Amino acid sequence: MALTIDELNIQIEAESSKATDAIDTLIGRLESLNSKLGGLGNAGNRAGNGLKKVADSASKGQSGLKAFVDRVTNGQKPMQKFTDNLARQISKFRTLYGAFKSVASTMAG
């Protein structure tokens, strides 16, 4: 079943909003964890720097998704660019997630 541009736009906005909310929640929880573990020296500092990078990446990702939605709505970009951009954002998020998971494991140990 083919989606219209309006339906696709609504779906993209809903999914990007959910993703942004999830990232914001993750950032909040990680910041809370960082503040509780602030006395751990360098590991805490590295985690704080990593949180800033996650926040910056999330902001860039949200801006990129909004720009893409606008382009799709105006019919300026093909769907392939969206899937490529989404794949890059997911790849970046997975990389950051792996890095934080590693930092958390190190800090837990």
Side-chain angles (χ1 to χ4, degrees), residues 1-12 15 72 79:
M1 176 175 171
L3 296 175
T4 67
I5 293 293
D6 289 336
E7 291 170 332
L8 182 59
N9 186 31
I10 290 168
Q11 185 178 2
I12 290 170
E15 293 301 321
V72 168
M79 194 62 188

Side-chain angles (χ1 to χ4, degrees), residues 57-101:
S57 293
S59 177
K60 288 178 185 176
Q62 183 178 10
S63 297
L65 285 173
K66 168 108 176 69
F68 177 76
V69 168
D70 292 344
R71 288 181 188 137
V72 168
T73 301
N74 295 326
Q76 296 176 356
K77 294 289 180 182
M79 194 62 188
Q80 184 62 42
K81 291 217 179 235
F82 171 73
T83 57
D84 291 346
N85 187 30
L86 184 59
R88 281 192 298 274
Q89 295 299 326
I90 289 170
S91 178
K92 288 178 184 178
F93 183 76
R94 284 183 177 170
T95 300
L96 288 171
Y97 174 76
F100 279 109
K101 189 174 178 182

Side-chain angles (χ1 to χ4, degrees), residues 33-34 37 40 43-44 47 102-109:
L33 175 64
N34 185 48
L37 300 175
L40 294 179
S102 176
V103 168
S105 293
T106 301
M107 289 171 44

Side-chain angles (χ1 to χ4, degrees), residues 9-63:
N9 186 31
I10 290 168
Q11 185 178 2
I12 290 170
E13 286 178 7
E15 293 301 321
S16 66
S17 178
K18 287 179 190 176
T20 300
D21 290 345
I23 290 171
D24 289 343
T25 299
L26 174 62
I27 290 169
R29 288 179 181 171
L30 290 173
E31 286 174 340
S32 174
L33 175 64
N34 185 48
S35 68
K36 290 176 183 174
L37 300 175
L40 294 179
N42 291 336
N45 289 335
R46 286 193 304 267
N49 291 337
L51 286 172
K52 181 169 177 5
K53 289 179 183 178
V54 167
D56 291 345
S57 293
S59 177
K60 288 178 185 176
Q62 183 178 10
S63 297

